[in-house]
Amino acid sequence: LIILSCCWSQPVLLLPFLGYFLWSRVISKAELGDGAAWPWFSIQEWGFHAFRRYIRLRIHVHPELQQYPPEKPVVLAVHPHGVASDYRILLDGMLYEALPKREVLALSASVLFYIPMVRELA
């Protein structure tokens, strides 16, 4: 409703939003494939770095996992989740650095893929 009211009051916003919606929901459907991750964004985003420092977020990877062949998949659990699901988003860039040469995929609730810009982070 918020997006519709914005497009109603400012019709110039309709075309960019419609293009974004068509791309994300009809054409690309990245959530059904590999997720179309943005490793460069997860690693280099300055806001993520600042927030990681603020909450003192650390990642501990067991040495055996670091030696595990990169072509073999592994499943990791992120804790805590609760109301702070942003831990998973903040952890993405750290996982790329802690486990180099690995593809990092995350499970996300399907409803997140319907919210503009949230889908890119989920």
Side-chain angles (χ1 to χ4, degrees):
L1 289 173
I2 293 172
I3 294 171
L4 285 174
S5 64
C6 287
C7 291
W8 181 262
S9 66
Q10 298 290 326
V12 73
L13 298 175
L14 181 62
L15 190 59
F17 176 74
L18 196 57
Y20 171 79
F21 180 80
L22 285 174
W23 172 255
S24 63
R25 296 303 313 150
V26 179
I27 299 170
S28 79
K29 293 193 176 198
E31 68 273 14
L32 300 178
D34 64 354
W38 295 353
W40 53 269
F41 180 77
S42 298
I43 293 170
Q44 298 175 4
E45 165 59 24
W46 67 268
F48 288 175
H49 283 279
F51 199 36
R52 287 177 194 142
R53 281 193 305 272
Y54 178 73
I55 63 173
R56 298 182 183 148
L57 184 62
R58 302 286 183 267
I59 183 171
H60 302 282
V61 179
H62 197 278
E64 287 182 21
L65 180 57
Q66 289 177 332
Q67 295 171 356
Y68 200 73
E71 58 277 351
K72 291 190 177 183
V74 295
V75 176
L76 303 172
V78 177
H79 177 76
H81 182 279
V83 296
S85 60
D86 52 354
Y87 278 127
R88 206 275 312 149
I89 295 171
L90 293 173
L91 197 61
D92 268 359
M94 296 172 76
L95 282 174
Y96 285 114
E97 293 171 348
L99 301 169
K101 300 179 186 169
R102 289 189 186 272
E103 183 178 17
V104 176
L105 299 174
L107 296 176
S108 298
S110 60
V111 71
L112 296 176
F113 293 100
Y114 289 94
I115 305 170
M117 296 311 294
V118 171
R119 67 176 276 115
E120 278 72 26
L121 298 174

